[in-house]
Amino acid sequence: MPPAPAPAARPPAPDEPVYMGLPHERHLWPRFRVAVALTLPVLFLSMGPMVWRDLYDHLTMRDSAWLQAVLTTPVFFWCGAPFIRRWWRSIVARDTNMFTLTVTGTGAAYFYSLAAVVFWESFPPQYFSHHGGPVYFEGTAFITTIVLLGQIIEQRAHARTDAALRGLMDLAPKVAHRVRTDDTEEDVPAAAIQPGDRLRVRPGEHLPVDGVLLAGGAEVDESMLTGEPLPVAKTAGDKLSAGTLNTTGSFVFRAERVGADTLLAQIVRLVESAIESEAPIARLADRVSAFFVPVVLAIAIVAFFAWGFLTPERGWLLGLLNAVSVLIIACPCALGLATPVSLVTGIGRGAQAGVLVKDAAALERLSAATTLLIDKTGTLTEGRPQVVAIESAAGFTEAGLLHLAASAESPSEHPLARAIVGEAQKRGLALAPATDFDATPGFGVRATIGGRVIEVGRVGPNATGRLGDRSLHLHPSATLVAIIVGGQSAGIIALADQIKPSTPDAIAELRRLGLKVYMVTGDRAATAQAVAGKLGLDGFHADVTPARKQELVREHQARGERVVFAGDGLNDAPALAAADVGIAMGTGTDVAMHSAGLVLVKGDLQALVRAVHLSRAVLRNIRQNLFWAFAYNTLGLPLAAGAFYPLCGWLLQPMVAGAAMSLSSITVVCNALRLRQVRL
């Protein structure tokens, strides 16, 4: 029975927090529209007398104040309700944040103004002027409205950064063309596809699931996964991914991974978890905010009492206005946005370039890395080794030796095992069933074939022999595999793995970026030296076991180096987990990808170069945001408190402070969004 389609995503409830502890922007928009509609007449009533001197000929000053109070009340209590809830939670939890300052400031202006309207006759005459009474409802209404707009912009920016990523899921078609056993076709829902089904893809169509090309050739656009703009030529046996685009010709492929198991679905899950993670630099902003907000509250209180006691005329009124301005302009919106918006944008940009960030902390640590330890097979090389020579001992033929080795290796998924099995199949050798199979990562396999115990593993560092000498002379980068039958040496198979075409340029760029690059391999020293010399590496570690890989990571870390480990195999998982940053190739095993902090979709070192560029661009962007957020608050606080009034006569109205505060947040968001266009 085909699996039931996944239920549609539940839309968030009106009060359900989505980002920054606020509801979705679709629930903020109605509040913003009402706020604008009510705030405009409040602004007219409060500022109208400055341009229309005859306004109070038609409306008394107190009636104007009452109208402003009536119009401002729903703006403060209903339009600003999400902010008030966040303010109350911050008070109860003793976790001050941007809403602590915003609502405290607007609330102070609102309740002071309301008291002024109610006790109008009790206020001193000097608090009144021909422009109006001592009410500042326009500050409350305008600041609430502008903060609402700022939060909508921030939420939209947050949603936009991963919108492209979520849009990837829509690339997988909802309907697929399944090929029946009689070669006729039927259209079925993508959710009904099972592993093993044959599917046809026509030109211009996206692939519905992951699979393997069965016959012929195809040109597939994989840019949505890897960031590479040119279509990739595919031949029979090549892997295909859901969501990629067939550019030319029609072909049939066999489904392998469907639904939530496709690479596309895994990418979305990885990036969603990364967006929810937190980088260490984010905690800097948190620590500063925890200290900063109480300091701002103290400055506001000092400003209020200083103006009240030191200024004989209208001192308490000016003290209140300056205190409110301090609370509003110091609101750490920009500080709170500086890190998360940059991280989310950078993670989304990385996903478009084939760099999947599983953990935001890994992205930060990568920017400061000094050493790269990199596995050879499948990382520096193609990962598709081929048999180049076979030498059998006395009593064994070349074909017989290959038959035993391939039969023993047939249950294994290791690249060397696949190469040996492939060579046997190419020669038409029928494999025998393997029993008592046992594989030890990094060492080899052991199995029983026809009653004999067969062991297949890499040749040790001290092994010699005429094949070993001759093979390494003819193929200096060859890997030697020994076959032992019944405890006796039966021969050696030499395999060679081609270096990926993109590897030399990628290594050169990584070294130019300041990384020392070391190869880590289980091969003999002679093989490792040949590869390291060809690529110009800083060094290599040969004859390395899986446990030893982890030890090497720790040894480099003990020397004060920040270590990145890149690999793709099951035996790389411990080293990936131990490194400061583990980078797994998307072509590798699931265990390796789960142990890593970053995953390179294409399994290409050029993607690793892009990852380094991305990490440095994101950290540079975060530092820019933090600098401007700190600088803004440092410069704005003295002005808002009235420190420049004795010298220059400068005072900052709360309404202007609110506009400046929102502008700082928008500046941070715009700077972060530049990461969407960064060249990697």
Side-chain angles (χ1 to χ4, degrees):
M1 179 181 293
R10 176 185 61 82
D15 293 332
E16 180 180 344
V18 173
Y19 176 62
M20 295 288 288
L22 297 178
H24 192 278
E25 64 162 299
R26 71 168 66 94
H27 301 301
L28 295 180
W29 268 112
R31 298 177 189 271
F32 173 70
R33 295 189 184 99
V34 171
V36 170
L38 297 178
T39 298
L40 288 177
V42 172
L43 292 176
F44 172 76
L45 289 170
S46 63
M47 300 181 180
M50 299 180 186
V51 294
W52 185 21
R53 296 181 179 273
D54 297 332
L55 176 63
Y56 289 135
D57 293 340
H58 307 278
L59 186 70
T60 68
M61 192 178 293
R62 190 175 188 183
D63 287 343
S64 173
W66 271 114
L67 275 175
Q68 293 178 51
V70 170
L71 293 170
T72 301
T73 297
V75 175
F76 179 70
F77 286 105
W78 185 77
C79 300
F83 307 147
I84 295 175
R85 282 192 290 270
R86 285 299 312 275
W87 172 82
W88 177 247
R89 286 200 294 270
S90 74
I91 299 299
V92 172
R94 297 180 182 179
D95 180 20
T96 54
N97 54 48
M98 56 173 283
F99 300 104
T100 310
L101 298 184
T102 302
V103 177
T104 300
T106 56
Y110 173 80
F111 287 108
Y112 159 78
S113 300
L114 190 63
V117 174
V118 174
F119 303 103
W120 190 266
E121 293 84 0
S122 302
F123 267 66
Q126 62 266 28
Y127 280 21
F128 294 83
S129 71
H130 63 278
H131 293 310
V135 293
Y136 293 91
F137 289 114
E138 80 281 0
T140 297
F142 181 81
I143 291 167
T144 301
T145 303
I146 203 71
V147 172
L148 262 174
L149 176 61
Q151 291 303 309
I152 289 172
I153 293 173
E154 291 162 14
Q155 293 232 3
R156 180 164 293 185
H158 176 268
R160 190 177 298 156
T161 56
D162 64 346
L165 172 69
R166 295 180 180 277
L168 290 178
M169 291 303 295
D170 295 331
L171 293 178
K174 303 298 185 290
V175 177
H177 313 303
R178 185 162 60 189
V179 180
R180 301 186 182 96
T181 54
D182 60 357
D183 289 337
T184 59
E185 294 181 20
E186 61 175 339
D187 287 347
V188 297
I193 299 173
Q194 296 293 314
D197 287 349
R198 292 188 302 153
L199 306 171
R200 183 178 298 280
V201 182
R202 299 186 176 92
E205 292 183 342
H206 293 274
L207 277 70
V209 296
D210 293 356
V212 176
L213 184 63
L214 291 178
E219 294 281 335
V220 179
D221 182 353
E222 297 182 331
S223 59
M224 41 73 67
L225 288 178
T226 65
E228 297 292 338
L230 297 178
V232 179
K234 299 288 185 178
T235 58
D238 284 347
K239 301 285 187 181
L240 301 171
S241 296
T244 55
L245 176 67
N246 177 25
T247 60
T248 59
S250 176
F251 62 83
V252 176
F253 75 104
R254 182 180 66 250
E256 286 196 335
R257 295 191 294 185
V258 302
D261 294 329
T262 64
L263 176 61
L264 191 61
Q266 292 178 34
I267 288 173
V268 173
R269 287 199 299 271
L270 287 175
V271 178
E272 284 178 338
S273 65
I275 290 173
E276 295 171 0
S277 63
E278 184 181 51
I281 197 170
R283 291 191 285 274
L284 171 63
D286 294 339
R287 289 194 299 269
V288 171
S289 294
F291 166 79
F292 180 72
V293 173
V295 169
V296 170
L297 290 171
I299 292 175
I301 293 171
V302 170
F304 174 72
F305 284 105
W307 278 91
F309 285 119
L310 300 179
T311 306
E313 186 176 351
R314 295 170 58 116
W316 293 107
L317 174 61
L318 293 175
L320 176 66
L321 294 181
N322 284 315
V324 171
S325 295
V326 166
L327 293 172
I328 297 301
I329 202 168
C331 175
C333 305
L335 185 61
L337 287 170
T339 299
V341 174
S342 294
L343 282 174
V344 171
T345 307
I347 290 169
R349 176 68 182 95
Q352 294 174 340
V355 179
L356 304 184
V357 182
K358 290 176 57 183
D359 181 11
L363 189 66
E364 178 180 341
R365 290 194 295 267
L366 179 59
S367 68
T370 60
T371 302
L372 170 63
L373 301 181
I374 188 164
D375 182 57
K376 180 175 80 72
T377 304
T379 307
L380 294 174
T381 62
E382 295 283 0
R384 294 193 294 269
Q386 296 179 341
V387 175
V388 294
I390 301 174
E391 180 70 23
S392 58
F396 293 91
T397 64
E398 182 177 301
L401 183 68
L402 180 60
H403 171 266
L404 290 174
S407 298
E409 291 277 24
S410 58
S412 175
E413 291 296 329
H414 193 280
L416 295 180
R418 294 294 87 204
I420 293 173
V421 172
E423 181 67 18
Q425 292 173 339
K426 189 188 301 181
R427 298 190 184 194
L429 301 177
L431 303 185
T435 60
D436 300 325
F437 177 82
D438 180 55
T440 303
F443 292 95
V445 303
R446 178 188 179 98
T448 300
I449 308 294
R452 291 187 291 181
V453 176
I454 311 298
E455 297 174 78
V456 183
R458 288 183 178 177
V459 172
N462 300 319
T464 58
R466 58 189 179 90
L467 173 71
D469 295 338
R470 185 178 67 186
S471 178
L472 288 177
H473 177 71
L474 297 176
H475 307 282
S477 59
T479 298
L480 304 184
V481 174
I483 296 89
I484 298 174
V485 179
Q488 300 296 320
S489 177
I492 293 176
I493 298 177
L495 302 100
D497 192 5
Q498 296 297 317
I499 294 174
K500 292 179 181 179
S502 60
T503 295
D505 289 342
I507 293 294
E509 177 65 9
L510 289 168
R511 296 187 68 198
R512 189 191 69 79
L513 290 171
L515 289 169
K516 292 184 177 180
V517 184
Y518 297 87
M519 181 178 67
V520 178
T521 178
D523 280 338
R524 294 157 49 112
T527 302
Q529 186 171 16
V531 175
K534 186 180 296 186
L535 294 175
L537 303 180
D538 292 285
F540 64 88
H541 301 283
D543 303 303
V544 177
T545 64
R548 177 62 180 150
K549 288 182 180 181
Q550 189 179 48
E551 291 174 4
L552 284 171
V553 170
R554 306 246 186 244
E555 289 173 9
H556 280 275
Q557 290 172 328
R559 295 200 289 264
E561 301 173 15
R562 296 187 178 118
V563 179
V564 178
F565 189 94
D568 69 339
L570 173 65
N571 58 1
D572 296 323
L576 289 168
D580 294 287
V581 182
I583 299 181
M585 302 298 166
T587 52
T589 65
D590 290 341
V591 174
M593 287 188 277
H594 282 300
S595 302
L598 284 83
V599 177
L600 308 181
V601 173
K602 196 176 179 181
D604 191 299
L605 279 191
Q606 288 295 344
L608 198 154
V609 173
R610 291 196 290 271
V612 175
H613 282 298
L614 174 69
S615 67
R616 296 185 180 183
V618 169
L619 265 293
R620 184 166 57 247
N621 192 274
I622 290 174
R623 292 188 184 103
Q624 291 169 354
N625 284 347
L626 289 174
F627 170 79
W628 288 112
F630 285 130
Y632 167 82
N633 285 315
T634 301
L635 294 174
L637 276 174
L639 177 62
F644 296 107
Y645 183 78
L647 300 175
C648 312
W650 292 350
L651 283 177
L652 194 66
Q653 290 290 328
M655 187 169 61
V656 178
M661 177 269 294
S662 296
L663 182 62
S664 71
S665 298
I666 294 171
T667 301
V668 166
V669 171
C670 291
N671 185 52
L673 290 179
R674 292 191 306 115
L675 287 170
R676 297 173 63 197
Q677 309 300 327
V678 68
R679 295 184 62 182
L680 299 179

